Short mmCIF file of all heavy atoms in Angstrom, two decimals:
data_model
loop_
_atom_site.label_atom_id
_atom_site.label_comp_id
_atom_site.label_asym_id
_atom_site.label_seq_id
_atom_site.Cartn_x
_atom_site.Cartn_y
_atom_site.Cartn_z
N GLY I 332 -1.68 -14.29 2.67
CA GLY I 332 -0.25 -13.90 3.19
C GLY I 332 0.10 -14.68 4.45
O GLY I 332 0.48 -14.13 5.41
N GLU I 334 1.99 -18.45 5.94
CA GLU I 334 3.06 -19.53 5.57
C GLU I 334 2.88 -20.74 6.47
O GLU I 334 2.54 -20.62 7.66
CB GLU I 334 4.47 -18.94 5.88
CG GLU I 334 4.81 -18.68 7.39
CD GLU I 334 4.24 -17.36 7.91
OE1 GLU I 334 3.44 -16.75 7.24
OE2 GLU I 334 4.69 -16.91 8.93
N HIS I 360 7.34 -13.12 -0.24
CA HIS I 360 7.46 -13.06 1.18
C HIS I 360 7.09 -14.49 1.87
O HIS I 360 7.86 -15.06 2.68
CB HIS I 360 6.56 -11.96 1.77
CG HIS I 360 6.63 -11.86 3.26
ND1 HIS I 360 7.50 -10.92 3.94
CD2 HIS I 360 6.00 -12.43 4.25
CE1 HIS I 360 7.41 -11.09 5.25
NE2 HIS I 360 6.46 -12.10 5.44
N GLU I 361 5.96 -14.93 1.45
CA GLU I 361 5.53 -16.20 2.21
C GLU I 361 6.50 -17.38 1.76
O GLU I 361 6.73 -18.21 2.59
CB GLU I 361 4.06 -16.45 1.76
CG GLU I 361 3.05 -15.38 2.12
CD GLU I 361 3.23 -14.78 3.60
OE1 GLU I 361 3.76 -15.58 4.47
OE2 GLU I 361 2.91 -13.64 3.69
N HIS I 364 9.27 -17.58 4.02
CA HIS I 364 9.15 -18.28 5.26
C HIS I 364 9.38 -19.79 5.30
O HIS I 364 9.59 -20.36 6.21
CB HIS I 364 7.71 -18.00 5.65
CG HIS I 364 7.46 -16.73 6.38
ND1 HIS I 364 8.21 -16.29 7.45
CD2 HIS I 364 6.61 -15.72 6.08
CE1 HIS I 364 7.72 -15.11 7.79
NE2 HIS I 364 6.76 -14.70 7.05
N ASP I 382 12.28 -14.32 12.52
CA ASP I 382 11.36 -15.02 11.50
C ASP I 382 10.91 -14.01 10.51
O ASP I 382 11.36 -13.99 9.46
CB ASP I 382 10.30 -15.65 12.40
CG ASP I 382 9.17 -16.37 11.63
OD1 ASP I 382 8.55 -15.54 10.71
OD2 ASP I 382 8.80 -17.53 11.84
N GLU I 383 10.00 -13.09 11.00
CA GLU I 383 9.54 -12.07 10.05
C GLU I 383 10.45 -11.15 9.59
O GLU I 383 10.54 -10.62 8.40
CB GLU I 383 8.32 -11.38 10.79
CG GLU I 383 7.08 -12.20 10.95
CD GLU I 383 6.45 -12.67 9.78
OE1 GLU I 383 6.81 -12.27 8.53
OE2 GLU I 383 5.38 -13.44 9.87
N ASN I 386 13.01 -12.56 7.16
CA ASN I 386 12.29 -12.80 5.97
C ASN I 386 12.03 -11.57 5.23
O ASN I 386 12.08 -11.57 4.01
CB ASN I 386 10.88 -13.54 6.37
CG ASN I 386 10.34 -14.10 5.02
OD1 ASN I 386 11.04 -14.68 4.17
ND2 ASN I 386 9.05 -13.89 4.93
N GLN I 387 11.72 -10.52 5.97
CA GLN I 387 11.46 -9.24 5.27
C GLN I 387 12.77 -8.73 4.58
O GLN I 387 12.68 -8.15 3.55
CB GLN I 387 10.91 -8.25 6.34
CG GLN I 387 10.37 -6.85 5.84
CD GLN I 387 9.05 -7.10 5.21
OE1 GLN I 387 8.47 -8.14 5.34
NE2 GLN I 387 8.55 -6.03 4.51
N TYR I 450 9.25 -6.26 11.40
CA TYR I 450 9.42 -6.42 9.97
C TYR I 450 10.38 -5.45 9.41
O TYR I 450 11.47 -5.66 8.89
CB TYR I 450 8.18 -6.35 9.16
CG TYR I 450 7.07 -7.39 9.37
CD1 TYR I 450 6.45 -7.65 10.60
CD2 TYR I 450 6.83 -8.33 8.31
CE1 TYR I 450 5.54 -8.63 10.78
CE2 TYR I 450 5.84 -9.20 8.40
CZ TYR I 450 5.18 -9.48 9.61
OH TYR I 450 4.27 -10.44 9.77
ZN1 ZN W 1 5.91 -12.96 7.20
#
Side-chain angles (χ1 to χ4, degrees):
Chain I
E334 67 279 14
H360 179 95
E361 303 313 330
H364 278 304
D382 174 305
E383 291 297 357
N386 192 38
Q387 192 72 9
Y450 290 69

